[in-house]
Amino acid sequence: MLEGLDTIDWSSLTHAHGPATDVPELLRSLLSKDADVRLQACAELHEKIWHQGTVYSASAAVVPFLYDLLTHPDVPDQGCVVSLLCCIATGEGWIQYGMRVDGEQTLRRTLASQGRSLEEAIKEAHAALEAIHRGVSAGLQQLLPYLSDREGLASLVAQTLGNFPEHKSWLVPAIDAALALESDEHVQRGLAESKTRLTTASAGDCDPARF
């Protein structure tokens, strides 16, 4: 489990608070026998790789390992893993967030103080979003069982599915089946919205570049 974790150059990846060198230990902490350690690791991962709804290069690198954890039924607190995957899948590029909140000129000045250009940062953020989309898409079927979860995960999964129109051939029937059994209005709404996004998507709508 978590094989290959140490083969990644985490120091070259970033999350909301800088280099992602702490991510491997946080992922391993999700396997701790201590529930408090697992809870803290889950909270820190949410804070760092999905900070205020934004995603980073480290967010993309984490996805395969989260799916790895999800395939082992003896891993505790799998709800945290599902939540992280859904949050990452629906996250906003940090550049987009910065442009929207701070404005282009402020962001340019901030990046310039770090020796970086806005164009370079946009390219990197775009690559991270593409990697996130590919990674989550590859294991998307693993999220379907959680459509029946009653602890809040069903709504997260329902909203996530609509981001992957390339899989609408099997996602739409899965959503229809879930809708037929679902009684929670909030989850029903999320499923219906995702179905609409899937069925109205054009071929280019799976492009994850959200700038």
Side-chain angles (χ1 to χ4, degrees):
M1 205 181 314
L2 298 181
E3 293 182 9
L5 192 60
D6 293 326
T7 66
I8 293 176
D9 182 9
W10 294 97
S11 65
S12 70
L13 304 175
T14 59
H15 54 46
H17 301 305
T21 51
D22 54 349
V23 168
E25 185 58 33
L26 289 173
L27 287 171
R28 290 191 175 97
S29 293
L30 294 178
L31 298 171
S32 173
K33 294 181 179 179
D34 188 326
D36 289 337
V37 171
R38 297 196 304 270
L39 182 63
Q40 179 63 30
C42 182
E44 286 194 42
L45 283 167
H46 272 94
E47 162 68 18
K48 292 177 178 178
I49 64 176
W50 183 73
H51 180 69
Q52 297 179 352
T54 55
V55 289
Y56 307 80
S57 57
S59 313
V62 160
V63 168
F65 299 107
L66 293 178
Y67 274 134
D68 185 23
L69 294 175
L70 206 55
T71 60
H72 291 79
D74 55 335
V75 171
D77 304 331
Q78 289 199 333
C80 167
V81 177
V82 174
S83 175
L84 280 165
L85 280 165
C86 290
C87 288
I88 291 170
T90 56
E92 178 181 34
W94 67 270
I95 280 288
Q96 180 190 30
Y97 177 85
M99 294 274 279
R100 177 165 52 80
V101 174
D102 299 323
E104 179 179 340
Q105 295 308 313
T106 297
L107 194 54
R108 282 188 181 278
R109 287 194 294 270
T110 300
L111 289 166
S113 69
Q114 303 168 1
R116 305 176 66 199
S117 70
L118 178 61
E119 290 71 23
E120 176 189 22
I122 287 176
K123 184 177 179 179
E124 292 175 0
H126 186 180
L129 283 173
E130 288 185 325
I132 286 170
H133 190 91
R134 288 194 306 270
V136 177
S137 176
L140 196 61
Q141 290 187 340
Q142 294 183 43
L143 299 180
L144 292 184
Y146 295 90
L147 282 174
S148 59
D149 179 83
R150 298 273 69 90
E151 301 299 324
L153 294 177
S155 180
L156 272 175
V157 174
Q159 294 166 22
T160 299
L161 299 181
N163 281 14
F164 299 89
E166 67 270 35
H167 295 308
K168 64 182 177 183
S169 63
W170 59 266
L171 275 177
V172 171
I175 289 174
D176 284 339
L179 278 169
L181 300 173
E182 186 56 60
S183 58
D184 185 293
E185 292 184 1
H186 186 60
V187 178
Q188 286 178 339
R189 186 162 55 251
L191 287 166
E193 289 174 354
S194 278
K195 180 179 177 179
T196 297
R197 285 155 55 201
L198 291 172
T199 55
T200 60
S202 63
D205 286 344
C206 62
D207 182 358
R210 299 185 287 274
F211 295 108

